[in-house]
Amino acid sequence: MSICSFFVGLEKFRTEPIFDSSLFVHIRKRLGKEAFDKLNNELIKTYSSKIDNRNISKKQEDEDLPPNKGKLQADATVADQYITFPTDAKILNSSRKQLEKMIDILYKKTENKIVKPRTYRRIIDKAFLNYSKKKRKNKGAHRKMKRKLLESVKRNINFVEKLLPDPSELQMGKDFPFSKKEMELYNTIKEAYKQQQKMYDDNTNSCPNRIVSIFQPHVRPVLRGKQNSRVEFGSKLGVSLDNGFSTLETLSWDAYHEGKDLKLHVVAYFELHGYYPDLVQVDKAYSTRENRQWLKERNIRITAPPLGRKPKIELTQYQKTKHKKEAAERNHIEGKFGQGKNGYNLNKIRARLKETSESWISCIFFIMNLKNYRKKSSCAFFFEFFSLDFKQPILNIEFKS
């Protein structure tokens, strides 16, 4: 502790915290995803300009376009939020407990003028504990527990509605019993209850914009079809890889078809280098007819088998080996995902807010590119990029207030 105090510039030992624990949360929220994306783009541009040995111009005529060069790899993944695996019973039970806390707060504000509402929390706690201890639960046990929790949540919501004053009469923050954060949680609980009640009545397990966490209502389930987990919970990322540098082109909290990102990846490659890639290495999800036609108009090859009948003239052994090698090179971007998830916890995003989660994810990709840049560039050029002359900033970034 004394050594740490010395390195941060303190003259003597102190037991008080050096900074508040929420400092880095405010920094991430202030920087935002846009700031890290700008840093990432400048880092890649610096290395690319060194490779190309020419000025990169974004606006060029079609007649003056240089020949295609280079390879671009693209794929999609999910940055999992660090939340418990959501089930209907867990979501309803968490909602019930939060509503019970809200009822306790509202009861204290009434100065004991009314009889405290009965929430039957001990009975529901015991029933949920017995339900959780069962190793094998049939469909009837799930519906029975869900019915009890739905009734309890509905009863608690009615109590809160009766005890909660009208927000228009009292100014938020002064005389109002709930803070803005608590009101957002309460509205999320009401929306989650509506979804769960509708699924229970319709006897289904899905609904649009399904809430899987009342504390992070922006998180959505994403169907991936992987061997270990069929469904993942987090943001879906569209990532491209060029010379070992990864670029985060798309970050969506809703599930979407990643084939739509191919044009974005290719256009971003053109804006960076000034020419189109010669080869796009992607999986079958990107090889739609629309994408094939769009790439064909720009003389860009794709690692996907051609449509239609097989040609009568068979490929030579050299061509077969070349196509097989180009298709196998797409594994590099899978390795980049493995580096982010195993080395930098890209699959365990612990930030709770939507903005800080996006900033966290963008920062991980920037750090991976920084490590790749240091590996490929000389130390002199590395320190030249990160100059200590603060009078001339590298980027003109407007921070969020």
Side-chain angles (χ1 to χ4, degrees), residues 57 173 218 330 348 360:
S57 61
H218 54 275
R330 197 193 67 85
K348 294 181 181 179
W360 190 313

Side-chain angles (χ1 to χ4, degrees), residues 111-161:
E111 298 179 357
N112 300 330
K113 293 181 180 179
I114 61 173
V115 179
K116 187 175 182 179
R118 297 191 64 178
T119 57
Y120 304 94
R121 62 187 72 185
R122 291 184 180 180
I123 299 175
I124 302 298
D125 283 339
K126 186 177 179 180
F128 185 76
L129 182 61
N130 295 332
Y131 164 81
S132 302
K133 285 182 177 180
K134 291 182 179 180
K135 294 183 179 180
R136 296 181 180 179
K137 309 178 185 69
N138 54 19
K139 188 176 180 180
H142 288 299
R143 285 190 62 84
K144 184 178 180 181
M145 190 68 242
K146 189 174 180 179
R147 178 180 57 81
K148 289 182 179 180
L149 292 171
L150 283 170
E151 292 175 353
S152 179
V153 171
K154 182 180 179 180
R155 180 173 58 248
N156 292 345
I157 289 176
N158 292 334
F159 288 151
V160 173
E161 290 290 339

Side-chain angles (χ1 to χ4, degrees), residues 24-126:
F24 293 107
V25 178
H26 291 301
I27 292 175
R28 286 197 305 269
K29 192 173 182 180
R30 190 181 179 192
L31 283 172
K33 177 180 178 295
E34 294 78 9
F36 282 111
D37 287 344
K38 287 182 179 180
L39 288 170
N40 202 19
N41 291 335
E42 289 296 325
L43 180 65
I44 299 174
K45 282 181 181 179
T46 304
Y47 180 79
S48 300
S49 61
K50 183 181 177 183
I51 297 292
D52 296 337
N53 290 324
R54 65 182 182 83
N55 295 327
I56 299 174
S57 61
K58 295 183 180 180
K59 298 181 180 179
Q60 294 183 355
E61 299 295 336
D62 294 340
E63 301 175 354
D64 301 332
L65 286 178
N68 298 349
K69 187 173 64 173
K71 299 177 182 179
L72 176 65
Q73 300 156 11
D75 202 355
T77 187
V78 174
D80 302 83
Q81 293 292 119
Y82 196 65
I83 60 174
T84 181
F85 188 86
T87 61
D88 296 340
K90 286 182 181 180
I91 296 171
L92 290 172
N93 192 55
S94 300
S95 302
R96 176 187 66 86
K97 289 186 176 181
Q98 294 299 322
L99 288 171
E100 289 170 357
K101 293 180 181 179
M102 294 178 183
I103 291 174
D104 295 339
I105 294 173
L106 292 172
Y107 177 70
K108 291 181 181 179
K109 295 288 184 179
T110 56
E111 298 179 357
N112 300 330
K113 293 181 180 179
I114 61 173
V115 179
K116 187 175 182 179
R118 297 191 64 178
T119 57
Y120 304 94
R121 62 187 72 185
R122 291 184 180 180
I123 299 175
I124 302 298
D125 283 339
K126 186 177 179 180

Side-chain angles (χ1 to χ4, degrees), residues 202-342:
D202 299 341
N203 198 14
T204 59
N205 295 322
S206 63
C207 68
N209 298 323
R210 183 176 180 178
I211 296 175
V212 296
S213 174
I214 60 174
F215 301 104
Q216 300 183 38
H218 54 275
V219 179
R220 295 287 180 268
V222 181
L223 291 173
R224 296 290 291 165
K226 300 296 183 180
Q227 182 177 1
N228 296 331
S229 58
R230 181 171 173 268
V231 183
E232 295 175 317
F233 306 94
S235 57
K236 192 170 183 179
L237 313 178
V239 184
S240 61
L241 191 66
D242 172 29
N243 289 323
F245 293 96
S246 54
T247 305
L248 183 61
E249 297 295 343
T250 307
L251 194 156
S252 174
W253 292 99
D254 296 322
Y256 71 98
H257 192 271
E258 57 262 31
K260 301 178 181 179
D261 290 341
L262 183 62
K263 297 179 182 179
L264 296 176
H265 296 317
V266 176
V267 170
Y269 184 95
F270 175 79
E271 292 179 351
L272 184 64
H273 295 281
Y275 51 82
Y276 287 113
D278 177 57
L279 176 66
V280 173
Q281 298 167 313
V282 291
D283 56 11
K284 293 182 180 179
Y286 294 86
S287 58
T288 60
R289 292 182 181 271
E290 182 182 356
N291 288 339
R292 288 172 184 264
Q293 182 63 28
W294 190 83
L295 294 175
K296 185 178 180 180
E297 294 173 357
R298 290 156 181 80
N299 297 324
I300 303 174
R301 296 186 297 118
I302 183 174
T303 55
L307 300 177
R309 296 180 180 179
K310 293 183 179 180
K312 295 182 180 179
I313 303 175
E314 294 185 359
L315 300 176
T316 62
Q317 186 62 35
Y318 170 76
Q319 291 174 333
K320 291 180 180 179
T321 305
K322 181 182 178 181
H323 291 172
K324 187 176 180 180
K325 181 181 178 181
E326 290 176 346
E329 287 177 352
R330 197 193 67 85
N331 294 333
H332 294 169
I333 193 169
E334 298 290 350
K336 183 61 68 173
F337 293 155
Q339 179 188 2
K341 293 185 178 183
N342 297 325

